[in-house]
Structures are given as C-alpha cells and as structure tokens.
Amino acid sequence: MEATPDFSALRAHAARLADTSLKQLIADDPARASDYALRVGPLYANFARQRYDRAALDALFALAEDARVTTAVRALFDGVVVNSTEGRAALHTALRSDLSQTPVARAAHGEAMAALTRMRALVATLHGSGVTDIVSVGIGGSDLGPRLVVDALQDPSSTALRLHFLSNVDGAAVQRTIASLDPARTAVVLISKTFGTQETLLNGAILRNWLGDDIRLYAVSANVERAAAFGVAPERILPMWDWVGGRYSLWSAVGFPIALALGMDRFEQLLAGAAEMDAHVLAAPLRDNLAVWHALTAIWNRNALGRGNQAVLSYDERLKLLPNFLQQLVMESLGKSVHLDGSPVTEASVPVWWGGIGTDVQHSFFQALHQGTEIVPADFIGVIRADHPHPGNHQALLANLLAQTEALANGQGSDDPHRIYPGDRPSTLLLLDALTPHGLGMLLALYEHSVYVQSVLWGVNAFDQFGVELGKQVANRLLPAVRGESVDVADPVTRVLLGQINRDR
Ligand code: F6P
C-alpha cells in the first residue's frame, strides 16, 4: 500500500498560526517580503503573502525531502516510466531540453529535434503558398496550449497567417469558423495524438470535404496510420509520441499552429524559455527551486488550510486563456483519487482551479474573494513592461494588481459589518519582465513542473486521465438513441431525457 503522505506536521503549524493574521505574520517578519521570493531569469515570484511562516516552510521543505522530490524530478528528465498505469515515460522536457544522458531521453530529444526540422520546412512551405488562414482542429491538449500561445503572442497587426481554433463538437463552432473563410486560401491542421477523438474526427471530416481536396490538409499525430487513412498525405503528417502527454505537448509538433502564427524562430524562443525553467528545476536545491516552492504552497493551502479552490488571475489581456490551459494541465493531471499503486487517496488532493483576467474580474467575482465565506488562494500574474503605447493604462493595471494582492491579504476593519474586509486571503505574485515567447515558455514550464512535484507529494499519477473515458463511452452508446434508432436504454433518467429530445420525431 502506498503510504498516504503525512500532513500532520503541516496541520500542527496551521493550528499554531490560526490566530495570527497574514498581516501580522508579515509585520512580525518584514524580511519575508524579500526572503520569500525567487527570480529565475525574467520570471520573479513572491510568496510573502501566503499564510505560512518560516517554521511552517521548514516543515514543507522537509516533506519535499521525505518525498524524494529531487530524485523524482531527475526521474522525469531521465525518461523513467513515471506514468506507470500506462507504462510510459513523460518526456516533455526532451522536446525542448537536452539535460539527460539516458538513452531513452537522448533518443526522445533526437526525435523531437528531427520533427522540428520537418516542421520548419512545412512552415516555410505554407508561408510561401498564398494560404492566408489556418484552421487548427483539436481539443484538450491538442488545442489549449497552441490556442493560448497564439492568442498571447500573435501581433494582431501582422500580415502573417491568421489562425482559427476549432475544438467543440458543436456544429455551430465549425459553421462559425468556416463562415468567413475561403477554402482555396485556407489550410487545415488536424491535431490529435490518438487520431481517435470524436470531436476532431467529426470536425476534421467536415473541413476535409469543405476544402475540396487534401492538398492543404495537414496532421499532427502519434498515430500516423490513422491520419493517413483519414486522407492526410504522409509528407504532411508531423509526428507525436506516446511519451508526451497531450496537456504537456505544446512544445512538440502540436505547436505547429504556434510556429505558423509566430514564425519558427519565435516558437524556438518559447522552447528556449521552457528549457531555462527545466535547467533551473533540475539543478536548483529544494529551497531555491521555484517549482518546488510553488508546489509546496499548493500543498499548504490544500492540506494544511483545507482550501478547495485555487484561482489564477492574469493581469495581462494577452494571457486571458491561461486559466483555461491551466485547468486541463492541473485538473486532468492531479484529479485522481488513488495513489500510483491503486490505494485510495485519503487526503484532499487537487482543488478546483478557475480564474479570469484582471481587471475585468475585479468587477465580477472579486466581491466574493474579498468578503465571501470561501477563502480562495490565488496566483496573480503580471507583466512589468507593456508592449503598447498606452503607459497610463499599464500603470493603472499594475496598480490594480498590487492593490488587490495587498487588500486581499491585509483587509480593513470597520464599525459597519458590511464594510469589513476580513483579509487573510493568500496569494502568490508571478511577475514577468515582459511577455516574450521566452518568458511565456518559462511560465508554462513552471506550472508543468509544479504540477509534477504536487503529484509526487500526493503520490498520484500526473500523466494518465482515465476519468475522461467513461463519459466518452456512454456518449458513443447513446448516439444511436439520439439519432432516433430504437435501442435499449437502461438508465431511466436518460430514457426520459431522450424522450424529450426525440419528442418531435
Ligand atoms: O479527453 C481528454 C483527452 O484525452 C486529453 O487528455 C487530450 O489532450 C485530448 O483528449 C485530445 O486527445 P487527442 O490529442 O488524442 O485527440
């Protein structure tokens, strides 16, 4: 039986600190404002507004040592089978870094670099082809990463290819996507690791017919045979591998849309940023390791303080899709109720991750963050240097970012109970010098590594996702019934609901 991690020491610290406000903790130890901070290249992180103190941090780092986090991180890079339920390594680091000498990691890195060379050639072909628009068809890990990066970094005034992302099986999505496009000037990229995903195959078939021929049909897949059988010419299929999880795959040819939108050079800068974070996470001692701090903070909030929510708040319009990306990365990776050996998880694990964009959300759900009964720890993400000619706006944005973290932490008293701000609402601040491909690569790789370290501390597999399969199977079983075919439907509620859907048949 896998040992349930022992969080009792953490809870003892939480109990010790229960009557000391966060504001007081900071007043008692002002040096924590700079001591609880780390910088890795252009990425600065400050944890001073988390509700722990130095003794609690000692206990957290002791936990990381007991869980042999350093060894586990090394194992990830070395291509050890960390995804034991599927018998696979998780070598996304090999897509951008060359930090391991094991044969399996070297081979993976070699294949990744060869794929990049092919991708560069295909990008050049498409850039010179008269194509103006690209539709990227994929879902989950085959969509969210490229969609986020393109949205964050594409210069809207550039004359480069226009990217459109199509994920949902809802026919309204495909209809909207093609409404304004000319099939003769559009290329379609089908991205699916398995090439068996219902949404992608249905949308892909519609677009293949809409294109009229397959000359501008491309694919990225680990299942080249299926992609070829679908009608994609082998020279237009880029590879993927079972040693890359979908949600960790934007660094592979899954990032083809990124390279098409930004150019191959900027795609490689993104990889270089992730590689800088890889090198840091692999080499830095636990205390100086940003991913470990971030992961331990998550454990503290969940297992010592019992927080069931975690917000991610981007104070940069260009990062508005970051919460969507992180929801899959974190919750598909960590949303497990059994340990690696199958024994039950008896401690709380992943909280619900959600978020939005500042300052918009200050005028929507921030009321509850300030005064609601649920305390929601938050990651605030800001960018120091703007890339637009409106300095007044940027100063206001940064002032709001600082103000919210301060107000949430410190609160404010009042004689009027309605006007009391209780404070004690923790946050981490992540600040990028600028939103470059390099910096974004670092930020995303930080979250990947933090998720992995959390999985080690919770003893769960960060790389499988069996939880999503049952719904897919039931949907396939119900499809004939939705079509109106007379099939047996055992579930009485589903039977009634089908009666409503089919009542006009
Ligand atoms: O349904 C979840 C999932 O399996 C994700 O893990 C994956 O990123 C997504 O579907 C898409 O899968 P594929 O790339 O095989 O189409």
Side-chain angles (χ1 to χ4, degrees), residues 139-142 192-195 197 246-247 328 332 465 468 472:
I139 198 161
S142 295
S192 176
K193 179 175 168 183
T194 56
F195 227 82
T197 302
R247 53 194 175 272
Q328 187 201 15
E332 197 168 70
Q465 60 282 320
V468 301
K472 293 182 194 175

Side-chain angles (χ1 to χ4, degrees), residues 227-247:
F230 191 84
V232 188
E235 64 274 18
R236 290 195 290 277
I237 303 174
L238 288 168
M240 231 195 126
W241 308 273
D242 67 5
W243 44 261
V244 185
R247 53 194 175 272

